[in-house]
Amino acid sequence: MSAKYYGKGDHATGFIGYRVTAMVKGEYRQRYFSTADDRIRSQDDSCPFFKRQRLRAEILDAEWLAESALHQYRQFVTTNHSSTGPYNGTGVHGLTCQWTRDRRGEWQAGFAINLPQSKRAEFGRRGFRFFSFRTRYYSEVWEMCVNLWADFNDILEADRHRVLGNPPPPNQFAELRRHLNEDGADIPVEKLGPVFAEQRQKLKDSRIKKAMEPVTPAIDADSKTHQDLEHEIVSWFQEEVTR
């Protein structure tokens, strides 16, 4: 992004004035604002027409810069980075599903946050932070990681909440394990246990709750017919007695 001034003899074509260039959404843009005009008495702001052309060039440069920044931001919060591998993506840049070995050499599944350059010195100059499901449930790790990712990258609150509400399915880690094992990783199937621990607990709680609910006898059509018949018999008997 730039608004560059070319004086006499600076440009190969003899152009005098401002040239604005930008790369927006993968598209190269440029526009020229000539200051070689009969109305321009001098090549500086003392001439109103020169100043007008300079301001037009700088305003366009700022507009293209803002458009490019907005596009890059939207790409960051709505798409996977182009370098993201199969089954690693979470739908945003800088936050991925990963399998990695811990200090004991054991495989752990979790989410990794790529750190901006400004944050790397703060966290021991590592390029990422990794959070596994070993001691926390899946949803807890996702919430923690999304909030850190949003804080690190100055993400708007609306996008923070949208991403929080759209975690990748736990089964994606099973697919990622399969993919890595095909490349020779040899991740044991039991290492998927922590990934699905929350789902198993919810299923267990649901079964316990259902078992504790009072049982209400079902009334089928035949049973209701019998009840109606009994009522009719009792009513008939009472009428006969009072006669």
Side-chain angles (χ1 to χ4, degrees), residues 7-228:
K8 186 176 181 180
D10 291 339
H11 198 281
T13 65
F15 170 77
I16 298 175
Y18 285 88
R19 175 176 175 245
V20 182
T21 59
M23 183 66 72
V24 182
K25 301 179 183 179
E27 173 190 63
Y28 180 74
R29 299 179 183 179
Q30 69 175 347
R31 190 176 301 176
Y32 292 87
F33 294 87
S34 175
T35 58
D37 190 288
D38 292 340
R39 296 171 296 179
I40 296 176
R41 299 187 303 272
S42 60
Q43 296 292 311
D44 56 49
D45 280 1
S46 64
C47 174
F49 290 105
F50 175 92
K51 185 175 182 179
R52 177 175 179 269
Q53 291 295 79
R54 177 181 65 79
L55 290 175
R56 288 180 64 197
E58 292 176 353
I59 289 171
L60 180 63
D61 183 48
E63 289 175 349
W64 282 353
L65 179 62
E67 185 180 353
S68 178
L70 178 60
H71 175 70
Q72 291 177 38
Y73 172 81
R74 296 313 306 168
Q75 290 286 101
F76 191 89
V77 300
T78 60
T79 65
N80 295 317
H81 191 274
S82 59
S83 65
T84 304
Y87 308 109
N88 289 118
T90 64
V92 300
H93 284 38
L95 179 59
T96 54
C97 302
Q98 298 288 346
W99 281 95
T100 187
R101 291 185 184 273
D102 61 20
R103 294 179 179 177
R104 300 169 298 170
E106 298 291 331
W107 284 102
Q108 298 287 345
F111 295 113
I113 307 168
N114 290 344
L115 297 174
Q117 288 290 341
S118 60
K119 298 291 182 180
R120 294 188 180 183
E122 183 179 347
F123 295 98
R125 297 185 180 180
R126 294 180 63 186
F128 68 94
R129 294 192 68 185
F130 177 78
F131 298 89
S132 75
F133 310 118
R134 187 168 60 87
T135 59
R136 296 183 180 91
Y137 279 145
Y138 191 94
S139 63
E140 295 172 341
V141 178
W142 176 250
E143 181 178 0
M144 178 176 61
C145 288
V146 170
N147 282 323
L148 284 173
W149 167 82
D151 290 342
F152 288 160
N153 295 286
D154 297 324
I155 303 301
L156 297 175
E157 284 302 302
D159 291 311
R160 180 199 298 263
H161 292 301
R162 177 182 54 79
V163 176
L164 278 171
N166 290 278
N171 193 55
Q172 184 168 324
F173 283 91
E175 295 296 328
L176 178 58
R177 169 188 167 271
R178 178 187 59 77
H179 175 72
L180 293 175
N181 280 353
E182 289 175 353
D183 288 340
D186 194 25
I187 303 171
V189 68
E190 58 266 23
K191 295 302 179 180
L192 284 168
V195 178
F196 295 96
E198 184 172 16
Q199 288 182 320
R200 292 197 304 273
Q201 187 60 49
K202 286 182 178 179
L203 182 59
K204 180 180 178 180
D205 293 343
S206 176
R207 288 172 176 170
I208 293 173
K209 181 179 179 181
K210 187 175 182 180
M212 295 177 65
E213 291 177 351
V215 178
T216 303
I219 300 177
D220 55 25
D222 291 339
S223 176
K224 188 175 188 305
T225 300
H226 292 158
Q227 290 178 1
D228 292 343

